[in-house]
Amino acid sequence: MLPDKTGHFNGFGGRFVPETLIYALDELEKEYLKAKRDKKFIRQLDYYLKEYAGRPTPLYLAQNLSRYLGINKIYLKREDLLHTGAHKINNTLGQILLALRMGKKRIIAETGAGQHGVATATVAAMFGLACDVYMGEEDIERQRLNVFRMKLLGTRVIPVKSGSKTLKDAMTEALRDWVTNVRNTHYIIGSVAGPHPYPVMVRDFQAIIGREAKKQILEKEKRLPDYLVACVGGGSNAMGLFHTFFKDRPVKFIGVEAAGFGLSTGKHAATLVSGDSGVLHGSKSQLLEDEFGQVKIAHSIAAGLDYPGVGPEHAYYKKIGRARYFAVTDLEALEGFKLLSQKEGIIPALEPAHAIFYLTKMRKAMKKNAIVIVCLSGRGDKDTEAVAKRLKI
């Protein structure tokens, strides 16, 4: 399956980086390909995913939500129940083990919502490696709980004051750090973005979501689902769910992006819905840019979706029609946040709240016996303070 040897998904992906990073990327790709065939590495990763992170996660039948929306069966893939509260730990465990194999002594990462930062800080603490996480000043303010968690875990949180002061700029600063400290540092990218081999490597580490979901739904329903639904920022939770079902053509993929204040306002993060082809952070994909080719400032109430690019494999999925992508506004995401909380007693992160709300838009087009799996990629602890300011309950 794609990508090809140069890291391209039918024209998307590849490497667009300074020469300094080519050695590090070659080293990482070589080590990852070796690790994939190494039974000891596979056993070690499986051990930590099970005993430390808490896999497998449940596939929960949300009966109240299903009944309320008039959808036959909605299942939630409960990544929110993992250690650290989101799917990010799947990837950081895999990458920290690769860093140890390569003899790296220092870890860096970028973070928006803080969940990837917390997951990176967690594994760095467990394995005794120094860790620095870059985070935009705006995200530091709206994700104060996760900032505290990272610091408590012994990680240095480095504020990024440039640009939009959000995820895009945090990733830019992390890449600059890596260029300078490439010999002793491993950069744990948090999504299916960045230069090759990151998109395919992160996808593979997150594909456990889809493998489990496929096994679980076949056990519960004796058939595959009709729809897979997931939020998309960089896109790792969605790709983690979609990948295993790629060849199962009757299963429809729905990715939900952030429409922010509305697509017509220009203040959104709907890269696949309204973006263009271009290069950002080392790979070619879809991105938000102006008529001069300058990257636009993205906006979303969900810090984890506030990114003007997307993983190249998602751009490929859109190009070939394998997945369809839609956008949900901030106000609609807040409704999704409240809906799942009040119908199922599950408080979601604002990111998957976008996917939850989109169910209200797609329900009329579903057949009566439709089965839907939604990736509940994270829990809402980190967002309750911000939501409390917006919702009058």
Side-chain angles (χ1 to χ4, degrees):
M1 188 174 288
L2 293 172
D4 61 23
K5 291 182 179 180
T6 61
H8 285 88
F9 298 87
N10 195 10
F12 297 107
R15 289 180 182 173
F16 298 84
V17 296
E19 188 176 347
T20 313
L21 289 182
I22 296 299
Y23 168 80
L25 292 167
D26 284 342
E27 179 188 31
L28 177 59
E29 182 182 18
K30 181 179 179 181
E31 197 61 48
Y32 174 60
L33 292 175
K34 284 171 57 179
K36 283 179 67 175
R37 300 187 294 267
D38 186 338
K39 292 181 180 179
K40 182 179 178 182
F41 174 84
I42 294 169
R43 285 197 302 270
Q44 189 179 26
L45 178 57
D46 286 348
Y47 169 81
Y48 285 112
L49 287 170
K50 179 181 178 182
E51 302 293 341
Y52 188 70
R55 302 212 72 91
T57 59
L59 186 67
Y60 168 70
L61 176 58
Q63 292 179 307
N64 296 334
L65 184 64
S66 302
R67 191 179 306 113
Y68 178 78
L69 293 179
I71 296 172
N72 178 39
K73 290 183 180 179
I74 301 169
Y75 283 92
L76 305 177
K77 184 56 175 160
R78 298 292 307 275
E79 297 299 288
D80 60 311
L81 294 179
L82 286 172
H83 179 42
T84 74
H87 69 293
K88 297 295 187 179
I89 193 74
N90 302 323
N91 171 49
T92 59
L93 279 170
Q95 287 203 51
I96 198 85
L97 294 176
L98 289 178
L100 292 169
R101 286 170 66 103
M102 294 184 290
K104 305 296 182 180
K105 302 298 183 184
R106 175 175 175 257
I107 298 297
I108 59 171
E110 86 296 330
T111 196
Q115 286 304 124
H116 175 59
V118 169
T120 302
T122 296
V123 297
M126 182 174 63
F127 287 102
L129 299 185
C131 183
D132 290 332
V133 171
Y134 288 89
M135 190 172 191
E137 277 192 332
E138 182 176 325
D139 291 336
I140 286 175
E141 176 59 28
R142 58 180 171 173
Q143 300 290 339
R144 287 184 292 181
L145 174 60
N146 277 344
V147 173
F148 174 74
R149 293 168 76 193
M150 286 183 274
K151 291 180 177 179
L152 183 62
L153 289 160
T155 281
R156 182 173 61 154
V157 179
I158 302 174
V160 176
K161 304 178 182 181
S162 59
S164 61
K165 304 176 185 178
T166 56
L167 181 56
K168 171 181 73 73
D169 308 288
M171 191 167 183
T172 298
E173 291 302 317
L175 283 166
R176 286 173 178 163
D177 183 317
W178 199 28
V179 169
T180 306
N181 302 288
V182 70
R183 296 212 172 268
N184 73 326
T185 298
H186 175 61
Y187 178 14
I188 298 184
I189 290 180
S191 195
V192 286
H196 179 67
Y198 281 102
V200 65
M201 182 178 69
V202 177
R203 176 199 75 187
D204 289 349
F205 286 140
Q206 293 292 1
I208 191 169
I209 300 172
R211 289 198 301 273
E212 286 182 3
K214 190 172 189 177
K215 179 180 178 182
Q216 290 166 326
I217 199 66
L218 288 173
E219 289 174 349
K220 292 173 182 291
E221 298 290 342
K222 311 304 182 205
R223 73 175 181 90
L224 294 175
D226 299 286
Y227 298 91
L228 303 179
V229 183
C231 63
V232 177
S236 66
N237 88 93
M239 194 55 65
L241 179 63
F242 295 169
H243 178 63
T244 302
F245 295 86
F246 181 81
K247 294 182 179 179
D248 300 306
R249 294 292 172 174
V251 181
K252 298 177 177 66
F253 298 170
I254 304 294
V256 185
E257 297 188 297
F261 292 126
L263 297 179
S264 62
T265 69
K267 295 180 179 180
H268 60 81
T271 307
L272 289 159
V273 172
S274 63
D276 299 303
S277 179
V279 174
L280 178 65
H281 293 144
S283 71
K284 182 180 179 182
S285 187
Q286 293 285 109
L287 69 150
L288 301 176
E289 57 185 1
D290 62 23
E291 65 269 31
F292 304 107
Q294 298 300 307
V295 179
K296 291 181 180 180
I297 293 176
H299 166 76
S300 173
I301 191 174
L305 303 184
D306 196 356
Y307 183 62
V310 69
E313 193 166 5
H314 280 292
Y316 165 64
Y317 275 23
K318 181 183 179 182
K319 182 178 180 179
I320 65 172
R322 185 62 187 92
R324 298 179 69 195
Y325 297 90
F326 304 90
V328 161
T329 67
D330 289 352
L331 290 176
E332 290 171 333
L334 287 167
E335 288 302 309
F337 188 95
K338 189 166 62 174
L339 179 63
L340 189 63
S341 299
Q342 296 182 353
K343 296 304 177 185
E344 292 292 346
I346 299 171
I347 301 174
L350 279 169
E351 289 79 13
H354 286 70
I356 294 295
F357 182 83
Y358 191 72
L359 295 173
T360 69
K361 293 188 173 185
M362 60 185 289
R363 57 181 172 173
K364 291 182 180 179
M366 291 183 187
K367 56 187 180 182
K368 288 186 177 181
N369 65 340
I371 295 174
V372 184
I373 296 178
V374 180
C375 187
L376 195 62
S377 57
R379 64 176 181 245
D381 310 39
K382 67 182 180 63
D383 295 316
T384 50
E385 183 179 350
V387 172
K389 294 177 181 178
R390 300 286 297 270
L391 291 181
K392 295 180 181 180
I393 298 177

